[in-house]
């Protein structure tokens, strides 16, 4: 399988060098009304209510689908389809005033009934793990067409924040028949066509309630190979690299006056996940040994050209409860060997099943080499992402270790769910997360810090580094996001200088 994949990637590179974007469809040089953006991870389908992974909301959230609220470039919650909201003194009732004159692309009006339908549907029809964010909702009322009321079972510090994610997307009641191929939203764009694995083309929504987007046509073009992605920009096949997948290549763009580079931060923790529910990784000593056996600074320098941030936890600096825990487990091969001996695991062999994405592939090679030095044999298996990795690792839990970037904001809460793919179970963490959600903002910060310290002490995973936001674009393109602090790659702000 890997040999075939490499052959395909080689063909992709040849196509890019020939001056066209890789894949089955070639696009000519962009017109003044069109822009083409290169991405690395392609969506398997267009239904993020039943398909996990970041690629679908990255393309569709804020662009096709919108919510009552969304996150601005600094991670603050701001209005979107709601113009304002109030919260009751007991912090259980949210009253949203809705934007007038909003319609879906199928012609249905957006009203308070839509809000009720969409929130109720998360609990009844969604299948992805993020649906649990709506379990705190008691009921939703359509007070009048422009006034929706959401009543929670208990106070929740996190609920409104999750409403800015895909969980808060609003759906037309008659537009959910075929979400995998036909999204129906209220955003500035609507689907033109979707060529699975190759491209997703959006066109301006003529009935959009807000300002007309600067580009009438946006092509999201997908590349598995980072060299092909870079060459597509160099050869005029695309206009923007949404996230550079070969950071050591930045120099070639910096020295080229045709391009500009944006460097910021993200919420994407690159995690070496352990299967905590499966021997031998259900032994804390083994997990700690592996963590002591990895030199994360050397890994970052080798695999990602030193770009990114060592964090040591599932908390990026954009969260209020961030603490730098990257030095808790310093590189210590001798200590790692001793812990393995104490656990009776001196001759350990582990399967590292990873998505076929550059950061994961490059990091895996370093990890295999470093763990070999402490007597651990690592076999690397590259899986097609997202479909195969999601099915076998994320859903099937068939792995010892994996590497994936968790891009969802405030996803530390997944460590409170023993059914999540890494199988971590700690009642103290679950209780702290619950108390953090219902307590005062000050209690939330204190409890969340304790959660991060606890899962770090347990070596529940090894947080390798935080991905940087590295964008390269043709000069004159404006409105690109300096930071990626949410799930969406917002196209509505794009413009021309």
């Amino acid at each position: 399988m890997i040999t075939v994949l490499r052959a395909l990637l080689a063909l992709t590179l040849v196509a890019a060098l020939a001056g066209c974007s890789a894949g089955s469809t070639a696009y000519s040089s962009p017109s003044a009304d069109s822009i083409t953006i290169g991405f690395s991870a392609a969506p398997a389908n267009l239904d993020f209510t039943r398909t996990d992974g970041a690629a679908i909301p990255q393309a569709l959230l804020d662009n096709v689908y919108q919510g009552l609220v969304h996150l601005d470039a600094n991670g603050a919650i701001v209005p979107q389809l709601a113009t304002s909201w109030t919260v009751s003194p007991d912090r259980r009732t949210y009253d949203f005033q809705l934007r007038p004159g909003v319609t879906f692309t199928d012609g249905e009006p957006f009203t308070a009934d839509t809000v009720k339908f969409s929130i109720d549907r998360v609990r009844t029809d969604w299948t992805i793990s993020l649906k649990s964010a709506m379990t705190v909702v008691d009921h939703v009322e359509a007070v009048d067409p422009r006034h929706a009321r959401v009543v929670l079972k208990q106070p929740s510090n996190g609920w409104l924040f999750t409403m800015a994610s895909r969980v808060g997307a609003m759906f037309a009641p008659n537009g959910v028949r075929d979400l995998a191929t036909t999204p129906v939203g209220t955003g500035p764009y609507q689907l033109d066509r979707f060529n699975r694995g190759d491209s997703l083309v959006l066109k301006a929504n003529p009935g959009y309630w807000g300002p007309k987007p600067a580009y009438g046509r946006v092509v999201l073009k997908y590349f598995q190979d980072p060299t092909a992605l870079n060459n597509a920009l160099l050869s005029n096949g695309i206009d923007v690299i949404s996230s550079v997948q070969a950071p050591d290549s930045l120099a070639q763009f910096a020295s080229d006056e045709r391009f500009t580079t944006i460097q910021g931060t993200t919420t994407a923790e690159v995690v070496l996940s352990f299967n905590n529910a499966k021997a031998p990784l259900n032994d804390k000593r083994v997990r700690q040994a592996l963590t002591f056996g990895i030199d994360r600074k050397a890994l970052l320098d080798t695999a990602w050209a030193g770009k990114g941030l060592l964090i040591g936890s599932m908390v990026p600096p954009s969260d209020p409860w961030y603490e730098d825990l990257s030095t808790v487990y310093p590189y210590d091969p001798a200590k790692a060997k001793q812990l393995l001996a104490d656990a009776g695991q001196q001759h350990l062999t582990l399967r590292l099943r990873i998505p076929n994405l550059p950061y994961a592939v490059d990091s895996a090679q370093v990890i295999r080499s470093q763990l070999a030095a402490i007597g651990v044999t690592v076999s690397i298996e590259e899986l097609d992402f997202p479909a195969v990795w999601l099915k076998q690792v994320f859903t099937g839990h068939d792995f010892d270790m994996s590497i994936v970037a968790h891009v969802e904001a405030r996803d530390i809460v997944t460590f409170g769910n023993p059914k999540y793919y890494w199988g971590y179970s700690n009642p103290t963490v679950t209780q702290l997360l619950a108390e953090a959600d219902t307590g005062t903002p000050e209690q939330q910060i204190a409890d969340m810090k304790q959660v991060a310290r606890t899962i770090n002490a347990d070596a529940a995973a090894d947080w390798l580094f935080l991905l940087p936001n590295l964008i390269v674009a043709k000069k004159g393109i404006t409105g690109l996001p300096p930071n990626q602090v949410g799930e969406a790659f917002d196209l509505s702000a794009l413009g021309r200088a």
Side-chain angles (χ1 to χ4, degrees):
M1 174 181 174
I2 296 174
T3 301
V4 173
L5 175 62
R6 287 174 177 160
L8 290 173
L9 294 180
L11 291 173
T12 299
L13 177 56
V14 170
L17 289 170
C20 66
S21 55
S24 62
T25 305
Y27 292 96
S28 59
S29 297
S31 67
D33 194 43
S34 176
I35 187 171
T36 302
I37 305 174
F39 291 84
S40 60
N45 60 65
L46 302 180
D47 184 3
F48 56 59
T49 74
R50 293 176 175 268
T51 305
D52 277 294
I56 310 174
Q58 181 183 59
L60 300 185
L61 192 62
D62 287 349
N63 301 319
V64 173
Y65 294 111
Q66 296 180 303
L68 298 176
V69 297
H70 75 129
L71 299 181
D72 68 10
N74 298 313
I77 303 171
V78 296
Q80 195 168 60
L81 293 180
T83 57
S84 64
W85 62 91
T86 58
V87 185
S88 64
D90 66 0
R91 300 164 51 219
R92 291 183 55 233
T93 302
Y94 289 73
D95 283 280
F96 295 95
Q97 301 303 314
L98 308 182
R99 194 174 298 278
V102 176
T103 59
F104 289 90
T105 52
D106 67 352
E108 289 188 70
F110 168 73
T111 68
D113 287 325
T114 312
V115 177
K116 177 174 173 55
F117 169 80
S118 300
I119 293 178
D120 287 345
R121 191 174 180 276
V122 175
R123 296 181 290 176
T124 59
D125 289 87
W126 287 46
T127 61
I128 66 169
S129 58
L130 293 177
K131 67 175 290 183
S132 61
M134 286 300 181
T135 58
V136 72
V137 174
D138 184 78
H139 66 276
V140 184
E141 303 171 16
V143 179
D144 64 48
R146 289 187 54 200
H147 180 184
R149 176 174 294 152
V150 181
V151 180
L152 308 184
K153 298 173 184 175
Q154 67 268 341
S156 171
N157 290 312
W159 179 76
L160 188 62
F161 189 89
T162 63
M163 286 294 288
S165 72
R166 71 188 86 171
V167 176
M170 296 290 109
F171 292 87
N174 293 321
V176 296
R177 297 185 182 93
D178 189 10
L179 295 177
T181 62
T182 313
V184 176
T186 61
Y189 288 96
Q190 63 188 60
L191 180 68
D192 186 4
R193 66 181 182 271
F194 174 46
N195 302 314
R196 180 174 174 177
D198 177 81
S199 59
L200 191 157
V201 183
L202 301 175
K203 61 183 179 181
N205 173 8
Y208 181 50
W209 57 266
K212 179 182 177 181
Y215 294 97
R217 180 174 178 266
V218 179
V219 180
L220 310 185
K221 193 81 176 108
Y222 297 102
F223 300 81
Q224 289 183 324
D225 178 52
T227 303
L229 176 59
N230 290 346
N231 282 324
L233 181 59
L234 291 167
S235 62
N236 204 39
I238 63 175
D239 305 298
V240 180
I241 296 176
S242 65
S243 179
V244 174
Q245 297 298 300
D248 55 359
S249 68
L250 283 173
Q252 69 180 318
F253 296 111
S255 61
D256 193 323
E257 62 181 11
R258 294 177 296 166
F259 306 114
T260 185
T261 301
I262 295 173
Q263 298 191 40
T265 190
T266 72
T267 57
E269 307 97 347
V270 178
V271 182
L272 175 64
S273 51
F274 302 139
N275 193 337
N276 287 251
K278 177 183 176 183
L281 292 166
N282 59 351
D283 189 327
K284 176 179 174 179
R285 296 169 297 180
V286 174
R287 301 193 303 269
Q288 289 178 320
L290 298 175
T291 307
F292 277 120
I294 295 174
D295 184 341
R296 286 168 292 281
K297 177 62 168 62
L299 181 147
L300 180 61
D301 290 341
T302 303
W304 218 241
K307 303 293 184 181
L309 179 70
L310 303 179
I311 51 176
S313 76
M314 202 71 174
V315 184
S318 53
D319 286 346
W321 39 87
Y322 170 73
E323 288 183 304
D324 181 4
L325 300 178
S326 62
T327 60
V328 175
Y329 286 93
Y331 180 50
D332 192 337
K335 193 165 188 176
K337 290 179 181 179
Q338 184 59 56
L339 282 165
L340 289 173
D342 293 344
Q345 297 289 347
Q346 295 97 322
H347 305 288
L348 187 59
T349 298
L350 297 171
R351 286 192 309 162
L352 177 55
R353 310 191 76 200
I354 60 171
N356 58 338
L357 298 174
Y359 68 83
V361 174
D362 292 346
S363 296
Q365 304 298 328
V366 178
I367 287 170
R368 178 168 61 183
S369 175
Q370 292 184 347
L371 292 186
I374 63 170
V376 176
T377 300
V378 175
S379 64
I380 299 173
E381 299 177 32
E382 295 181 29
L383 304 177
D384 186 54
F385 187 87
V388 178
W389 185 88
L390 284 172
K391 180 179 180 180
Q392 296 188 13
V393 175
F394 188 83
T395 302
H397 302 183
D398 183 12
F399 74 107
D400 295 323
M401 302 186 297
S402 189
I403 301 172
V404 76
H406 286 259
V407 304
E408 295 83 4
R410 301 188 180 179
D411 47 9
I412 190 174
V413 296
T414 58
F415 284 93
N417 178 11
K419 295 181 180 179
Y420 199 70
Y421 83 102
W422 37 53
Y424 176 74
S425 180
N426 185 326
T428 299
V429 167
T430 303
Q431 181 179 349
L432 282 168
L433 287 169
E435 292 173 351
D437 195 38
T438 58
T440 65
E442 294 76 19
Q443 290 172 326
Q444 181 188 28
I445 291 174
D447 287 341
M448 295 300 280
K449 284 183 176 181
Q450 189 57 43
V451 168
R453 295 168 189 158
T454 301
I455 61 176
N456 176 281
D458 282 347
D462 190 2
W463 296 272
L464 301 177
F465 59 94
L466 187 73
L467 278 174
N469 188 42
L470 300 174
I471 297 176
V472 180
K474 293 179 180 177
K475 284 188 177 177
I477 297 173
T478 62
L480 291 162
N483 299 314
Q484 279 292 334
V485 293
E487 296 180 291
F489 192 95
D490 189 355
L491 304 171
S492 65
L494 295 181
R496 293 179 289 268

